[in-house]
């Protein structure tokens, strides 16, 4: 292990560690994990009083406020969740000079791993999904859920911006009748949409790798928690990811089976609450279609970056199935 993280622990984390365990000797190991944007180290002590995670963000992988936003979001949750506990690591320190956060270590697998390990147990898989949905509802309610005008144009513009930033992807998309049809549908809805949709402070990256399953309960991590938007952005993000890389993606119908919700959709709706998770919520299906097109473009970039072309092709095929389902549902709501 590089000496830099160890030096960081001794030079900048000393006061925080002494507050937690005044007479302990601390040890760092790792990196235990290498995420897309950061390296994760484990910090323990000889008294076994605390196990901590040090997340050090790599240069250029996030904006200057990103790690600080996550630190402040965890602090805010600890201050405000009260009796309606929202399971999340406790934040202990933020080091702005090196974009690093120290928080409690959560020894639990991500939702995605838990689902694959229980691939042959429908009961376990659905219990994990329900727990994740319940966590998200508590998180949204912590800031208050309020109906506001749904800004569909802002989401549509993000797809436009991504196409402009990747001309090669734009060329590929011109050859895809399905993408063109879905994107035109998004633009049409955005130009005419005037519905109200439930809004709250968003998790911001609610994916199956940012929810851990500990003793069958969900624990949220990598919480951005800085932007207010429709709750369906968080909902659509996780349902889209589950429809691409989880045992649910092996089903031909992931979210809707003709006019009926699939077990995945039904269970998530049960967990989050059918008051908002309804099959006739147009803002939900718009958000789903947006997320699906966004992932499609991400996978195209994978191919151009030299990552596994086979994996990218497989996941694009799964995205296409989701897009078809979303378009069908949107047509029924017109």
């Amino acid at each position: 292990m590089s000496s830099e993280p160890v030096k960081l622990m001794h030079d900048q984390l000393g006061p925080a560690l002494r507050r937690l365990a005044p007479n302990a000797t601390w040890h760092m190991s790792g990196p235990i994990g290498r995420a897309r944007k950061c390296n994760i180290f484990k910090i323990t002590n000889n008294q076994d009083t605390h196990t901590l995670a040090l997340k050090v963000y790599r240069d250029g992988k996030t904006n200057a406020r990103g790690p600080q936003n996550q630190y402040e979001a965890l602090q805010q949750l600890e201050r405000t969740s009260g009796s309606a506990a929202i399971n999340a690591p406790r934040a202990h320190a933020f080091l702005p000079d090196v974009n690093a956060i120290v928080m409690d270590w959560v020894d639990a697998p991500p939702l995605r791993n838990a689902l694959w390990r229980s691939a042959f147990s429908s009961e376990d898989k659905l219990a994990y999904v329900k727990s994740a949905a319940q966590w998200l509802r508590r998180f949204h309610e912590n800031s208050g859920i309020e109906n506001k005008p749904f800004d569909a144009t802002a989401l549509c513009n993000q797809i436009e911006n991504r196409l402009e930033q990747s001309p090669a992807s734009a060329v590929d998309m011109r050859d895809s009748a399905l993408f063109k049809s879905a994107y035109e549908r998004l633009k049409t809805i955005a130009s005419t949409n005037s519905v109200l949709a439930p809004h709250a402070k968003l998790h911001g990256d609610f994916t199956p790798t940012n929810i851990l399953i500990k003793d069958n309960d969900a624990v949220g991590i990598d919480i951005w928690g800085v932007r207010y938007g429709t709750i369906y952005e968080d909902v659509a993000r996780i349902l889209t990811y589950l429809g691409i890389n989880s045992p649910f993606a092996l089903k031909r119908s992931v979210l809707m089976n003709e006019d009926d919700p699939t077990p995945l959709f039904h269970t998530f709706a049960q967990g989050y609450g059918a008051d908002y998770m309804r099959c006739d919520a147009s803002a939900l299906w718009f958000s789903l279609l947006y997320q699906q097109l966004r992932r499609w473009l991400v996978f195209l970039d994978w191919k151009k970056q030299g990552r596994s072309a086979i994996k990218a092709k497989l996941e694009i095929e799964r995205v296409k199935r989701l897009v078809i389902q979303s378009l069908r549902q949107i047509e029924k709501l017109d």
Side-chain angles (χ1 to χ4, degrees):
M1 180 177 67
S2 167
S3 63
E4 285 302 314
V6 175
K7 186 175 186 300
L8 182 69
M9 179 180 70
H10 290 300
D11 292 352
Q12 298 195 41
L13 295 180
L17 297 179
R18 283 192 292 273
R19 284 195 298 271
L20 293 174
N23 299 313
T25 300
W26 294 86
H27 173 74
M28 178 181 292
S29 56
I32 302 297
R34 296 180 186 271
R36 184 167 56 91
K37 296 181 179 180
C38 64
N39 292 332
I40 304 169
F41 300 85
K42 180 184 283 190
I43 303 176
T44 56
N45 65 48
N46 62 338
Q47 298 177 358
D48 295 326
T49 60
H50 295 80
T51 302
L52 307 176
L54 170 67
K55 292 179 63 176
V56 182
Y57 280 82
R58 293 189 286 275
D59 291 342
K61 292 299 182 179
T62 186
N63 61 56
R65 280 286 305 180
Q68 185 171 355
N69 287 340
Q70 291 191 42
Y71 173 72
E72 292 174 355
L74 291 175
Q75 286 195 315
Q76 179 71 9
L77 280 185
E78 186 179 356
R79 288 194 299 265
T80 61
S81 62
S83 59
I86 301 171
N87 290 338
R90 181 184 178 189
H92 297 287
F94 170 63
L95 307 177
D97 293 343
V98 289
N99 271 348
I101 312 170
V102 179
M103 65 191 76
D104 288 341
W105 180 276
V106 182
D107 192 13
L111 172 63
R112 185 178 66 182
N113 294 19
L115 289 172
W116 281 114
R117 291 174 187 175
S118 302
F120 299 106
S121 172
S122 295
E123 183 178 352
D124 286 348
K125 292 200 305 287
L126 294 177
Y128 299 153
V129 167
K130 185 174 183 179
S131 180
Q134 290 170 332
W135 186 96
L136 186 61
R137 178 62 180 263
R138 291 193 296 269
F139 178 81
H140 286 158
E141 286 186 332
N142 193 54
S143 63
I145 301 176
E146 181 181 359
N147 277 328
K148 294 183 179 181
F150 176 46
D151 188 359
T153 302
L155 295 183
C156 196
N157 287 344
Q158 291 190 41
I159 299 294
E160 181 72 33
N161 292 338
R162 193 168 191 100
L163 286 169
E164 291 177 354
Q165 293 167 8
S166 181
S169 293
V171 170
D172 286 344
M173 292 302 93
R174 282 201 294 270
D175 295 330
S176 171
L178 178 59
F179 186 94
K180 287 192 293 185
S181 174
Y183 184 40
E184 288 303 318
R185 196 77 177 95
L186 273 188
K187 291 194 289 187
T188 299
I189 296 172
S191 65
T192 59
N193 187 284
S194 60
V195 303
L196 295 177
H199 284 61
K201 186 177 284 189
L202 301 179
H203 176 287
D205 195 16
F206 195 66
T207 69
T209 54
N210 287 338
I211 280 287
L212 310 181
I213 300 298
K214 185 175 179 63
D215 300 327
N216 295 325
D217 288 329
V219 181
I221 61 172
D222 284 2
I223 302 164
W224 293 88
V226 294
R227 183 171 65 86
Y228 281 86
T230 174
I231 62 168
Y232 298 134
E233 288 191 52
D234 280 342
V235 170
R237 194 171 182 87
I238 193 167
L239 288 180
T240 296
Y241 276 67
L242 290 174
I244 296 170
N245 187 356
S246 82
F248 298 106
L250 304 180
K251 303 287 186 181
R252 185 152 192 86
S253 296
V254 178
L255 299 176
M256 296 294 295
N257 189 2
E258 298 297 335
D259 293 328
D260 298 319
T262 61
L264 170 59
F265 189 104
H266 177 71
T267 301
F268 197 94
Q270 274 190 321
Y272 192 91
D275 49 348
Y276 293 122
M277 279 294 299
R278 304 188 318 271
C279 292
D280 62 350
S282 59
L284 168 60
W285 290 101
F286 181 96
S287 301
L288 281 162
L289 189 57
Y290 156 74
Q291 285 288 346
Q292 291 152 13
L293 295 187
R294 181 178 173 277
R295 295 308 297 166
W296 192 337
L297 293 173
V298 167
F299 296 140
L300 279 178
D301 286 343
W302 279 16
K303 292 170 67 175
K304 295 174 177 59
Q305 293 165 5
R307 298 172 69 172
S308 172
I310 295 175
K311 180 175 174 60
K313 182 178 180 180
L314 172 64
E315 305 212 333
I316 287 174
E317 289 305 311
R318 290 174 176 173
V319 168
K320 289 179 180 178
R321 290 191 307 188
L322 292 172
V323 168
I324 291 170
Q325 288 186 47
S326 295
L327 285 173
R328 286 175 179 168
Q329 196 64 21
I330 288 170
E331 288 170 3
K332 292 176 184 178
L333 297 175
D334 282 349

